[in-house]
């Protein structure tokens, strides 16, 4: 049986600084399938190109060459406006460096994705508090993220990624700043969402626990897919 | 919008630095500009209230007294409606204060509608041909007396003693107070008869400082000036425009220095805004990258930055303009007015000429807000049109 692909790439290359002396070939001829509702992992050592491939899959970066398809529609050549719309409505991100805004509180950070939609600020903040509550962070809602521990910041980041109820969640090294117990919690949460809500999860990690937990693994070395 | 407003409050140090810089620049620009516009308006009014032409006598390159005989010659020049002699100069009232005294032929001078000193308020009257040691005074004289150590309140009917150049005291009766649109030229002026003015200023009998001329309606002043210059060898003729220009030049040089200072200040503010707003910093780049990754499009990002800048710019400009109004109108623009008005300030005991116009306020807001907008929005736009991945990772 052919499994339903939500995203697939064909011959994707990503070259940073093309033509310059510092040219970097971060992704080389990547063709992968992301199956709807599955947890897909990109494994490989640091610097292997996992984050670059995640950025391309999450429409944060355009491939230098090749195509990215979302439910059969080619997206990489589309305008930034359309790609932004897709990101806003369908994709959630958990960044390795979290990329929270330190001056804002946890709830304000989590509410951010909804402030560029029709949702009012009050509704967005209420929803943000619900998401934080579901991750056990309700007591930290009004703390500035700079005042939180690494693990707490990671959970704020996860809550923010889930704010727009995405059908694709992209997580870059989600276990970087949390201990083993929290990692297990996080993976269980994502697994639950995958199974119950059909959430498609794409993770980049070099953590064996994360890789073993996923449904499908693509190993990346030096920007290339390893069989 | 709420996110942008939140940013203004969250980034307190950044916001305070930008607003402070704007307050300073707008305050300096505004307080100087209100004076400049006031001076310009005042000078224009002075020209309107003054004669069409002033004829002086130049001997050996220096101004000399004008003899009575010139009256017939000047009156005979084509296009001249009235040539009337004046005697004028400054008298020291102590404490660094100077008053202007002008002696006129009351019947001739008083026949010109609207000229300086002739519009008498309330119960007073203008001079007549037989008045001696009587004066009509500008409102500034009353203000000077009231502000003096003795705090004397004078008005119509009061007696005022002036110290003549020979040291003697001459008593004058105030018979009228005149209104004037100008503060620089006539605010502190005393208008009296020719003989009394001559006595105060120590001039010889039948000598005059200059002649004030009014032209026939529709006559070209430059043509009349040319004719006078041709016919009367020792004459120097100043037209209304030339007098106004001379006044403007005296102010304009100082105004030019101020304009240069403004330009420097403005550049400083732009650089400060650019630096302090940190629009080009890694932090600001990352914030734009985060917003883009979370689904904000370029327009959303620019709206946020524009709204932040507009809020800061409007706040800074409004406070700066408010402080400038308080500084000029309530505090009398200490130091700045002395620099801008120079010697004229000695004459202005009752306030400096100030005008606030819509165009000036508009200009102040534009020069405050536009540079901040440019300094913050342009870098944000550059980041916003770059791939979020590149912005976030700095690759």
């Amino acid at each position: 049986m052919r499994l339903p692909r939500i995203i697939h790439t064909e011959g994707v290359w990503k070259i940073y600084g093309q033509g310059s002396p510092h040219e970097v070939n971060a992704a080389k001829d990547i063709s992968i399938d992301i199956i709807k509702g599955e947890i897909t992992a990109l494994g490989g050592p640091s610097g292997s190109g996992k984050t670059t491939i995640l950025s391309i899959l999450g429409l944060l970066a355009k491939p230098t060459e090749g195509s990215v398809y979302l439910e059969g529609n080619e997206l990489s050549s589309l305008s930034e406006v359309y790609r932004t719309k897709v990101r806003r409505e369908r994709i959630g991100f958990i960044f390795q460096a979290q990329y929270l805004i330190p001056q804002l509180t946890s709830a304000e950070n989590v509410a951010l994705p909804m402030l560029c939609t029709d949702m009012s600020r009050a509704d967005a903040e209420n929803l943000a508090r619900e998401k934080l509550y579901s991750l056990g962070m309700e007591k930290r809602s009004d703390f500035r993220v700079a005042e939180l521990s690494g693990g707490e910041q990671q959970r704020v980041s996860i809550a923010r990624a889930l704010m727009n109820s995405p059908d694709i969640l992209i997580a870059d090294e989600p276990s970087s700043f949390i201990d083993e117990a929290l990692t297990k919690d996080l993976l269980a949460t994502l697994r639950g969402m995958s199974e119950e809500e059909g959430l498609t999860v794409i993770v980049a990690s070099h953590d064996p626990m994360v890789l073993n937990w996923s449904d499908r693994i693509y190993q990346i070395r030096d920007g290339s897919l390893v069989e | 919008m709420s996110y942008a407003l939140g940013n203004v409050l969250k980034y307190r140090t950044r916001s305070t630095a930008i607003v402070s810089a704007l307050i300073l620049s707008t305050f300096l620009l505004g307080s100087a500009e209100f004076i400049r516009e006031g001076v310009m308006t005042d000078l224009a009014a002075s020209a309107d209230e003054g004669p069409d032409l002033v004829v002086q006598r130049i001997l050996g390159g220096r101004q000399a007294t004008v003899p009575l005989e010139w009256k017939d010659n000047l009156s005979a020049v084509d296009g001249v409606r009235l040539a009337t002699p004046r005697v004028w100069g400054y008298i020291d009232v102590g404490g660094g204060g100077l008053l202007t005294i002008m002696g006129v032929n009351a019947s001739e001078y008083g026949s010109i509608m609207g000229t300086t000193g002739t519009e008498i308020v309330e119960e007073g009257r203008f001079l007549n041909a037989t008045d001696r040691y009587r004066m009509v005074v500008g409102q500034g004289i009353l203000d000077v007396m009231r502000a003096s150590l003795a705090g004397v309140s004078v008005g119509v009917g009061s007696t005022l003693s002036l110290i003549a150049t020979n040291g003697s005291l001459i008593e004058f009766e105030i018979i009228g107070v005149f209104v004037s649109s100008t503060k620089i030229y006539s605010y502190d002026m005393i208008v009296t008869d020719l003989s009394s003015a001559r006595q105060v200023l120590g001039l010889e009998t039948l000598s005059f400082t200059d002649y004030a001329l009014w032209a026939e309606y529709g006559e070209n002043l430059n043509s009349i000036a040319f004719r006078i210059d041709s016919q009367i060898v020792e004459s120097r003729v100043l037209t209304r425009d030339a007098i106004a220009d001379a006044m403007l030049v005296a102010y304009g040089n100082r105004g030019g220095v101020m304009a240069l200072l403004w330009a420097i200040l403005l550049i400083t503010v732009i650089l400060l805004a650019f630096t302090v707003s940190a629009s080009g910093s890694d932090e600001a780049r990352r914030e734009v990258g985060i917003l883009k990754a979370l689904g904000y499009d370029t327009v959303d990002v620019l709206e946020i930055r524009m709204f932040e800048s507009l809020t800061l710019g409007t706040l800074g400009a409004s406070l700066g303009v408010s402080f400038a109004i308080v500084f000029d109108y309530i505090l009398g623009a200490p130091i700045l007015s002395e620099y801008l008005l120079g010697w004229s300030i000695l004459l202005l005991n009752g306030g400096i000429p100030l005008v606030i116009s819509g165009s000036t306020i508009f200009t102040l807001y534009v020069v405050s807000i536009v540079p901040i907008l440019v300094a913050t929005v342009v870098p944000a736009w550059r980041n916003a049109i770059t791939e979020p991945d590149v912005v976030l990772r700095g690759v």
Side-chain angles (χ1 to χ4, degrees):
Chain A
M1 188 182 76
R2 189 179 171 85
L3 295 169
R5 292 184 301 188
I6 189 165
I7 300 175
H8 74 279
T9 66
E10 287 178 3
V12 162
W13 290 72
K14 182 67 179 178
I15 304 168
Y16 291 110
Q18 194 170 20
S20 78
H22 308 292
E23 182 176 297
V24 176
N25 241 324
K28 301 170 188 166
D29 194 21
I30 302 292
S31 298
I32 56 175
D33 291 338
I34 306 296
I35 307 301
K36 191 169 186 174
E38 268 194 6
I39 298 173
T40 304
L42 303 179
S46 294
S48 59
K50 303 186 297 292
T51 300
T52 299
I53 296 168
L54 274 188
S55 293
I56 290 169
L57 295 173
L59 309 182
L60 292 177
K62 278 187 174 184
T64 310
E65 225 177 273
S67 301
V68 179
Y69 296 87
L70 176 68
E71 291 174 337
N73 300 309
E74 208 282 313
L75 295 184
S76 49
S77 60
L78 292 180
S79 73
E80 184 54 34
V81 173
Y82 187 79
R83 291 154 56 82
T84 301
K85 186 175 181 321
V86 172
R87 275 202 304 273
R88 180 163 58 215
E89 293 175 355
R90 302 196 60 182
I91 304 175
F93 291 95
I94 301 170
F95 298 102
Q96 182 177 8
Q98 292 151 354
Y99 294 135
L100 298 169
I101 297 177
Q103 284 76 14
L104 302 182
T105 65
S106 304
E108 288 167 340
N109 265 287
V110 175
L112 264 184
M114 304 315 290
L115 296 181
C116 62
T117 68
D118 294 335
M119 189 178 281
S120 71
R121 187 186 180 98
D123 287 347
E125 288 205 5
N126 287 336
L127 183 60
R129 286 174 199 283
E130 282 175 27
K131 297 287 181 191
L132 286 166
Y133 179 83
S134 69
L135 290 164
M137 286 286 292
E138 67 276 13
K139 289 182 180 170
R140 293 285 189 267
S141 294
D142 296 317
F143 281 54
R144 290 192 182 189
V145 291
E147 298 164 342
L148 304 179
S149 69
E152 289 171 330
Q153 289 184 15
Q154 184 72 315
R155 277 184 278 172
V156 172
S157 179
I158 293 163
R160 185 181 65 184
L162 299 173
M163 266 300 274
N164 57 345
S165 304
D167 48 3
I168 301 162
L169 182 74
I170 291 179
D172 191 5
E173 302 284 3
S175 59
S176 292
F177 296 97
I178 52 179
D179 58 26
E180 193 177 322
L182 281 173
T183 303
K184 281 181 179 170
D185 279 354
L186 168 65
L187 298 181
T189 304
L190 296 180
R191 171 64 69 190
M193 293 175 76
S194 170
E195 289 176 358
E196 291 161 24
E197 299 168 29
L199 179 70
T200 303
V201 181
I202 311 167
V203 235
S205 181
H206 59 267
D207 183 343
M209 192 200 304
V210 176
L211 298 177
N212 291 334
W213 154 85
S214 60
D215 300 319
R216 185 181 300 261
I217 304 173
Y218 289 105
Q219 288 289 350
I220 313 292
R221 293 281 186 285
D222 195 23
S224 300
L225 210 52
V226 180
E227 293 300 326
Chain B
M1 189 183 291
S2 57
Y3 175 70
L5 271 180
N7 265 1
V8 169
L9 297 174
K10 300 276 180 194
Y11 296 98
R12 283 194 192 90
T13 310
R14 180 180 89 179
S15 300
T16 305
I18 293 176
V19 169
S20 302
L22 280 176
I23 288 174
L24 179 66
S25 62
T26 317
F27 161 71
L28 286 177
L29 188 64
S31 47
E33 193 60 19
F34 298 154
I35 295 174
R36 187 198 67 79
E37 202 165 1
V39 169
M40 295 303 172
T41 308
D42 204 272
L43 294 181
S46 298
D48 287 344
E49 290 180 10
D52 292 336
L53 298 154
V54 170
V55 179
Q56 299 170 337
R57 185 183 183 202
I58 301 298
L59 275 180
R62 288 164 39 163
Q63 189 178 344
T65 54
V66 190
L68 181 63
E69 295 77 49
W70 277 34
K71 180 175 174 61
D72 290 340
N73 297 340
L74 289 169
S75 300
V77 172
D78 278 353
V80 173
R81 172 159 60 107
L82 174 69
T84 185
R86 301 189 304 184
V87 168
W88 63 272
Y90 301 110
I91 48 175
D92 191 344
V93 290
L98 294 173
L99 301 179
T100 309
I101 183 166
M102 182 166 74
V104 297
N105 178 317
S107 51
E108 289 176 351
Y109 189 86
S111 68
I112 304 294
M113 291 289 288
T115 194
T116 304
T118 57
E119 289 189 22
I120 306 298
V121 294
E122 296 169 356
E123 75 269 30
R125 66 171 175 83
F126 189 64
L127 301 163
N128 62 38
T130 58
D131 283 328
R132 291 289 179 276
Y133 305 120
R134 288 188 171 131
M135 58 164 92
V136 294
V137 297
Q139 184 62 42
I141 305 295
L142 308 187
D143 295 342
V144 167
M145 298 307 294
R146 203 174 297 121
S148 68
L149 285 177
V152 186
S153 181
V154 295
V156 173
S158 303
T159 300
L160 205 58
S161 296
L162 300 181
I163 305 169
T165 48
N166 63 7
S168 63
L169 274 179
I170 303 173
E171 283 194 348
F172 280 80
E173 181 193 349
I174 299 174
I175 59 167
V177 178
F178 62 81
V179 287
S180 171
S181 311
T182 86
K183 281 195 166 179
I184 292 178
Y185 181 61
S186 58
Y187 175 73
D188 55 358
M189 184 176 275
I190 291 170
V191 180
T192 186
D193 65 280
L194 286 165
S195 143
S196 301
R198 216 180 265 126
Q199 195 174 338
V200 172
L201 296 170
L203 294 179
E204 291 172 11
T205 310
L206 296 181
S207 65
F208 308 100
T209 311
D210 58 25
Y211 272 79
L213 271 62
W214 279 267
E216 298 286 2
Y217 181 73
E219 285 288 337
N220 183 306
L221 298 185
N222 288 328
S223 302
I224 297 175
F226 179 74
R227 286 196 282 272
I228 295 170
D229 200 42
S230 309
Q231 292 170 25
I232 304 175
V233 179
E234 293 167 350
S235 66
R236 177 168 69 182
V237 190
L238 302 171
T239 62
R240 184 196 295 270
D241 289 344
I243 294 168
D245 287 347
M247 288 172 159
L248 289 175
V249 165
Y251 169 77
N253 291 339
R254 292 158 194 267
V257 173
M258 283 305 293
L260 184 64
L261 288 176
W262 292 344
I264 294 168
L265 198 66
L266 208 58
I267 292 167
T268 309
V269 169
I270 293 169
L271 289 175
L272 185 72
F274 188 80
T275 310
V276 173
S277 74
S279 295
S281 72
D282 289 344
E283 186 189 2
R285 275 172 63 86
R286 194 177 303 118
E287 189 173 323
V288 171
I290 294 168
L291 294 175
K292 291 276 291 181
L294 296 179
Y296 288 66
D297 59 29
T298 303
V299 174
D300 293 328
V301 171
L302 292 185
E303 272 179 6
I304 289 168
R305 288 288 179 259
M306 280 181 74
F307 198 77
E308 281 175 28
S309 302
L310 279 175
T311 305
L312 294 173
T314 307
L315 182 66
S318 300
L319 288 173
V321 168
S322 304
F323 291 158
I325 290 171
V326 170
F327 180 73
D328 279 4
Y329 280 83
I330 297 175
L331 302 178
I335 302 173
L336 183 66
S337 61
E338 288 163 23
Y339 173 74
L340 285 176
L341 296 175
W343 58 269
S344 303
I345 200 72
L346 292 173
L347 315 176
L348 298 171
N349 299 294
I352 49 177
L354 294 167
V355 169
I356 298 179
S357 68
S359 62
T360 300
I361 297 291
F362 176 76
T363 304
L364 289 172
Y365 274 88
V366 166
V367 298
S368 302
I369 292 170
V370 170
I372 298 293
L373 271 179
V374 172
T376 54
V377 171
V378 170
W381 170 75
R382 288 178 57 189
N383 289 335
I385 58 170
T386 310
E387 278 186 350
D389 175 57
V390 171
V391 176
L392 285 171
R393 297 166 69 187
V395 290

